[in-house]
Amino acid sequence: WGCACDSDSTLEQIQCLVKQGQYRKALEVASSLQRVSGHLEHALMDLKRLVCDDFELVTDQVKGRYLRASRDLPIGTALIRERPLVVSDAQGEHAAKVFQQDFVAEIQQSVQDGDEEAEQLMAMLDAIAMVVKLSVEKTESITLRRLAWLEGHCLEAGDLDMRNLMFTKMVEPYRSRVTAKDVGDVYGVLMCNRFWGSDRQSDVMWVCSMFEHSCNPTVFRGDVDPSKPKKDKYRSRKMTTLLPVKKGSALTVDYIGLPTVYAPTWARRSALGHWRFSCLCQWCTQQPERCRAFVCPTCKEPELTPAGPDLSGAEAASSEDPKSIARLKNLACLKCGFDEPSEAYLNRCIQAEDDFKDAPELLFTSGRRLSEFHSANFAVAWNAFYQDVIFRCASPDEQRAVCELLVESLFRLYGYHHPQSLEFIHTLAELSEDQEEQAQILALEHVIFVTFFQEESEQLDQESYRLMFSLRPGEELPEEVACAKPWLNVPTTPSVQAGYRDHVQSI
């Protein structure tokens, strides 16, 4: 903020307001200045991104900084489109230039051996290396300035050991140009603000890093097809509201994402561990544990679940026995309400989990005890879809069954068709050989598009129309068809016509 402006007292007032977390008031005062230059001009640009018509940055003594709605936001509001400040992955492109070769090679070998912790550590090293390079080479001042806005963790004993290790493994000229404290500061900020996605890369955003976490969020981080790899890893990320948000309410995103969030509470808390907080959303504190589901012995529906959040799995996860399974208690059927399964039945359910863990085989319908909606089965289905070799080798009926299971599981979890269902739904349309069925699937896809991706919906609806009428790649739509926009009048099933948007509103 240090620069020449109309009044030193005004500058002090702005600085004080920012320190107090009164960002909107600081913006109002700064905008009233007749002349701004240098750092203040850049700071004004930053403030205008953090305080806008749809949302604003606020500071709370307990929660710290977070974004809240500046007005009532309807479903599908595009809040912001932002490029990440830092993108890193296990390839270690920057790490290889900043850290010693044998240090990097040892971690990369662990990555190749399938060690997921090593994969995330390599991505972290790569991100730290990138920031150190920017600082030493004095490039990308915008990136460094916006990183400085972000709050980081206070380093604990284990973090300090890692900081010291990283510092000692640096090569010149970087090691002599930074201190161990510098490395620790960067480490704390990156650890606190990174997103680890299904594309196996770590993103550190700026504005988007200031959203609160919720396992059942109000905002979706991603584009139309967030799981499909894109050539530009620095492509912008779009934030869109999933649900209506009242003015003054916190805006929340899911830090861990699918498929990780489709898991019992104890597993989600474990995944959130490096952010160092316990999620207090309704899924984690009140609602039934939908992701740990069994077959009800009374109504035979796959809806027998723990009646509340399941925290017992943490004990099993820390056990030395790799087949240890969390105890089951307080089970109730979401369908018929039955809540008194016998001890013998609970033991058979635990045995079913144990057997599935031993030999995971995808369930398209519920087994004798295990529900097809169990998180272990969802993980197998998810991996089958995204492992191209496996999915392409499956028969069309098997491919269809995988997609249907994923779509139904996500609808059951969220209570509405989540945008990340789109890829599965579109694949179902491609697999369908019945034109009427295909039109119904594309109608559902259309409703989701216009709900969550209004800007892109027309282009994507054209692709749906091309699919319906078997147009080859590169074949242009006839001019009269393009002008008439027939894809906006795709016939829908009664369930689609029932009011998808109203249904989401009720959720």
Short mmCIF file of all heavy atoms in Angstrom, two decimals, residues 2 13-14 43 49 63 67 73 75 96 132 151 158 217 245 294 325 333 344 354 377 395 410 462:
data_model
loop_
_atom_site.label_atom_id
_atom_site.label_comp_id
_atom_site.label_asym_id
_atom_site.label_seq_id
_atom_site.Cartn_x
_atom_site.Cartn_y
_atom_site.Cartn_z
N GLY A 2 2.17 1.10 0.25
CA GLY A 2 3.01 2.29 0.36
C GLY A 2 3.20 2.97 -0.99
O GLY A 2 3.75 2.40 -1.91
N GLN A 13 -5.76 5.48 6.71
CA GLN A 13 -7.12 4.99 6.93
C GLN A 13 -7.37 3.70 6.13
O GLN A 13 -7.95 2.74 6.64
CB GLN A 13 -8.14 6.07 6.52
CG GLN A 13 -9.58 5.65 6.77
CD GLN A 13 -10.58 6.69 6.26
OE1 GLN A 13 -10.20 7.72 5.69
NE2 GLN A 13 -11.86 6.43 6.48
N ILE A 14 -6.92 3.69 4.86
CA ILE A 14 -7.08 2.50 4.02
C ILE A 14 -6.33 1.32 4.62
O ILE A 14 -6.86 0.20 4.71
CB ILE A 14 -6.59 2.79 2.59
CG1 ILE A 14 -7.46 3.85 1.92
CG2 ILE A 14 -6.60 1.51 1.75
CD1 ILE A 14 -6.91 4.35 0.60
N ALA A 43 -3.23 -2.57 -5.81
CA ALA A 43 -4.02 -3.02 -4.67
C ALA A 43 -5.51 -2.75 -4.89
O ALA A 43 -6.36 -3.53 -4.50
CB ALA A 43 -3.55 -2.33 -3.39
N ARG A 49 -11.51 -7.23 -7.16
CA ARG A 49 -11.78 -8.65 -7.42
C ARG A 49 -12.34 -9.33 -6.18
O ARG A 49 -13.07 -10.31 -6.29
CB ARG A 49 -10.47 -9.34 -7.83
CG ARG A 49 -9.89 -8.90 -9.14
CD ARG A 49 -10.54 -9.59 -10.30
NE ARG A 49 -10.10 -10.98 -10.42
CZ ARG A 49 -10.63 -11.84 -11.30
NH1 ARG A 49 -11.59 -11.46 -12.09
NH2 ARG A 49 -10.17 -13.08 -11.36
N LYS A 63 -13.07 -17.82 12.13
CA LYS A 63 -12.91 -18.50 10.84
C LYS A 63 -11.82 -17.91 9.97
O LYS A 63 -11.38 -18.53 9.01
CB LYS A 63 -14.24 -18.46 10.07
CG LYS A 63 -15.36 -19.21 10.75
CD LYS A 63 -16.53 -19.46 9.83
CE LYS A 63 -17.25 -18.21 9.41
NZ LYS A 63 -18.48 -18.51 8.62
N LEU A 67 -15.29 -15.79 1.93
CA LEU A 67 -16.15 -15.04 1.00
C LEU A 67 -17.62 -15.30 1.34
O LEU A 67 -18.01 -16.44 1.63
CB LEU A 67 -15.88 -15.49 -0.44
CG LEU A 67 -14.47 -15.22 -0.98
CD1 LEU A 67 -14.29 -15.84 -2.35
CD2 LEU A 67 -14.18 -13.73 -1.04
N LEU A 73 -28.18 -15.08 -4.30
CA LEU A 73 -27.64 -15.66 -5.54
C LEU A 73 -28.48 -16.86 -5.97
O LEU A 73 -28.62 -17.81 -5.19
CB LEU A 73 -26.18 -16.09 -5.32
CG LEU A 73 -25.20 -15.00 -4.90
CD1 LEU A 73 -23.84 -15.60 -4.56
CD2 LEU A 73 -25.05 -13.96 -6.02
N ILE A 75 -29.41 -20.30 -8.34
CA ILE A 75 -28.63 -21.43 -8.86
C ILE A 75 -28.02 -21.04 -10.21
O ILE A 75 -28.63 -20.36 -11.02
CB ILE A 75 -29.55 -22.65 -9.07
CG1 ILE A 75 -30.22 -23.05 -7.77
CG2 ILE A 75 -28.77 -23.83 -9.61
CD1 ILE A 75 -31.34 -24.04 -7.97
N ALA A 96 13.06 -29.89 -10.36
CA ALA A 96 14.33 -30.40 -10.88
C ALA A 96 15.36 -29.30 -11.07
O ALA A 96 16.57 -29.57 -11.10
CB ALA A 96 14.08 -31.10 -12.22
N VAL A 132 9.79 -19.92 -5.47
CA VAL A 132 11.17 -19.49 -5.19
C VAL A 132 11.81 -18.91 -6.46
O VAL A 132 12.48 -17.86 -6.41
CB VAL A 132 12.00 -20.66 -4.64
CG1 VAL A 132 13.50 -20.31 -4.62
CG2 VAL A 132 11.53 -21.02 -3.24
N GLU A 151 -3.46 -16.55 3.53
CA GLU A 151 -3.02 -16.91 4.87
C GLU A 151 -2.50 -18.34 4.85
O GLU A 151 -3.01 -19.20 4.14
CB GLU A 151 -4.18 -16.79 5.86
CG GLU A 151 -4.68 -15.35 6.03
CD GLU A 151 -5.87 -15.26 6.95
OE1 GLU A 151 -6.63 -16.26 7.03
OE2 GLU A 151 -6.05 -14.22 7.59
N GLY A 158 6.69 -31.43 12.63
CA GLY A 158 6.95 -32.19 11.41
C GLY A 158 7.12 -31.30 10.20
O GLY A 158 7.94 -31.57 9.31
N PRO A 217 -21.18 -28.51 -0.80
CA PRO A 217 -20.96 -27.06 -0.96
C PRO A 217 -22.08 -26.37 -1.72
O PRO A 217 -22.94 -27.00 -2.34
CB PRO A 217 -19.66 -27.02 -1.76
CG PRO A 217 -19.71 -28.26 -2.60
CD PRO A 217 -20.37 -29.30 -1.75
N VAL A 245 -28.14 -19.18 -2.63
CA VAL A 245 -27.36 -18.69 -1.49
C VAL A 245 -27.95 -17.35 -1.05
O VAL A 245 -28.09 -16.43 -1.86
CB VAL A 245 -25.87 -18.51 -1.85
CG1 VAL A 245 -25.08 -18.07 -0.61
CG2 VAL A 245 -25.29 -19.78 -2.44
N PHE A 294 -25.74 -50.63 3.09
CA PHE A 294 -25.92 -52.07 3.03
C PHE A 294 -27.36 -52.38 2.64
O PHE A 294 -28.19 -51.48 2.54
CB PHE A 294 -25.60 -52.70 4.40
CG PHE A 294 -24.22 -52.38 4.90
CD1 PHE A 294 -23.99 -51.26 5.69
CD2 PHE A 294 -23.15 -53.18 4.56
CE1 PHE A 294 -22.72 -50.94 6.13
CE2 PHE A 294 -21.86 -52.88 5.00
CZ PHE A 294 -21.66 -51.76 5.78
N ILE A 325 -11.83 -53.30 9.66
CA ILE A 325 -13.00 -52.56 9.21
C ILE A 325 -13.67 -51.89 10.41
O ILE A 325 -13.74 -52.46 11.50
CB ILE A 325 -14.01 -53.51 8.52
CG1 ILE A 325 -13.39 -54.13 7.27
CG2 ILE A 325 -15.30 -52.79 8.16
CD1 ILE A 325 -13.16 -53.16 6.14
N CYS A 333 -32.59 -47.94 8.06
CA CYS A 333 -32.89 -47.97 6.63
C CYS A 333 -33.53 -46.65 6.21
O CYS A 333 -34.52 -46.21 6.80
CB CYS A 333 -33.83 -49.13 6.31
SG CYS A 333 -34.25 -49.24 4.55
N ALA A 344 -25.68 -60.47 14.57
CA ALA A 344 -25.20 -61.41 13.55
C ALA A 344 -25.26 -60.77 12.16
O ALA A 344 -24.34 -60.96 11.35
CB ALA A 344 -26.04 -62.69 13.59
N ASP A 354 -15.29 -56.53 4.22
CA ASP A 354 -13.97 -57.15 4.25
C ASP A 354 -13.70 -57.93 2.96
O ASP A 354 -12.63 -57.82 2.35
CB ASP A 354 -13.88 -58.08 5.46
CG ASP A 354 -12.45 -58.31 5.90
OD1 ASP A 354 -11.54 -57.83 5.21
OD2 ASP A 354 -12.24 -58.97 6.93
N ASN A 377 -17.65 -49.50 -3.62
CA ASN A 377 -18.12 -49.84 -4.96
C ASN A 377 -18.07 -48.62 -5.87
O ASN A 377 -17.72 -48.72 -7.06
CB ASN A 377 -19.55 -50.38 -4.88
CG ASN A 377 -19.97 -51.10 -6.15
OD1 ASN A 377 -19.27 -51.98 -6.65
ND2 ASN A 377 -21.12 -50.72 -6.69
N SER A 395 -17.74 -54.22 -22.53
CA SER A 395 -18.83 -54.27 -23.50
C SER A 395 -19.70 -53.03 -23.34
O SER A 395 -19.70 -52.40 -22.28
CB SER A 395 -19.67 -55.52 -23.28
OG SER A 395 -20.38 -55.41 -22.05
N LEU A 410 -24.44 -40.39 -7.48
CA LEU A 410 -24.27 -38.96 -7.22
C LEU A 410 -25.60 -38.28 -6.96
O LEU A 410 -25.70 -37.38 -6.11
CB LEU A 410 -23.55 -38.30 -8.40
CG LEU A 410 -22.08 -38.71 -8.58
CD1 LEU A 410 -21.48 -38.03 -9.80
CD2 LEU A 410 -21.26 -38.37 -7.34
N GLN A 462 -25.76 -27.85 -29.27
CA GLN A 462 -25.52 -28.15 -30.69
C GLN A 462 -24.82 -29.51 -30.83
O GLN A 462 -25.15 -30.29 -31.72
CB GLN A 462 -24.65 -27.06 -31.31
CG GLN A 462 -25.37 -25.73 -31.48
CD GLN A 462 -24.52 -24.73 -32.26
OE1 GLN A 462 -23.93 -25.08 -33.27
NE2 GLN A 462 -24.47 -23.50 -31.78
#
